[in-house]
Amino acid sequence: MVYHGVLAPHARWRPRAVAYEEPGLPLGTPVADSPAPAVPQLQGQAPAPPRHWAWADLMRRAFDVDVLACPRCGGRMRLIATIEDPRVIRRILAHLGLPPEGPTACPARPPPPGRSADLFSDMPA
């Protein structure tokens, strides 16, 4: 996976956009610039929190939508299973009368005329 823009590895604003920072460092300090620990972690210490986010937390953070809120009563829903087998997914969609394939993607639009030079003016060549 290749990241561009603010999520690129050497982007100037990446520390402001990425929330993965080590505890105890001031906000905006990239993890790569932090000093290496002098002593390895001892067995008696609590493990560091995981570096992954649950998909529901990512949806809430990115789109400000709580996907686990029940639309009827407002209570919390639980994820009880995920279906990843394409054959099972096609059977469920066929049973519900839905098309098994998603809509076709439209071609990308070109940039507005005359403004293409301004789109990435802050990026080095």
Side-chain angles (χ1 to χ4, degrees):
M1 184 175 262
V2 178
Y3 293 102
H4 298 280
V6 119
L7 295 177
H10 299 291
R12 180 177 41 185
W13 291 349
R14 181 178 170 87
R16 296 181 190 167
V18 178
Y20 300 126
E21 296 176 351
E22 292 182 10
L25 293 176
L27 290 178
T29 304
V31 174
D33 294 344
S34 64
V39 179
Q41 193 175 35
L42 300 176
Q43 286 185 339
Q45 293 179 338
R51 292 183 56 125
H52 70 278
W53 289 52
W55 68 273
D57 293 332
L58 290 172
M59 295 291 283
R60 186 177 321 125
R61 182 173 184 218
F63 302 113
D64 196 27
V65 173
D66 189 2
V67 294
L68 295 179
C70 177
R72 294 184 187 152
C73 68
R76 301 299 294 164
M77 295 189 292
R78 292 183 299 148
L79 180 66
I80 57 172
T82 59
I83 303 171
E84 298 175 3
D85 186 5
R87 293 177 296 159
V88 174
I89 294 171
R90 283 191 199 96
R91 285 186 59 202
I92 292 171
L93 290 173
H95 176 76
L96 295 173
L98 298 171
E101 302 298 325
T104 57
C106 296
R109 297 184 314 180
R115 299 211 44 202
S116 62
D118 296 341
L119 289 178
F120 301 104
S121 61
D122 63 335
M123 301 290 289

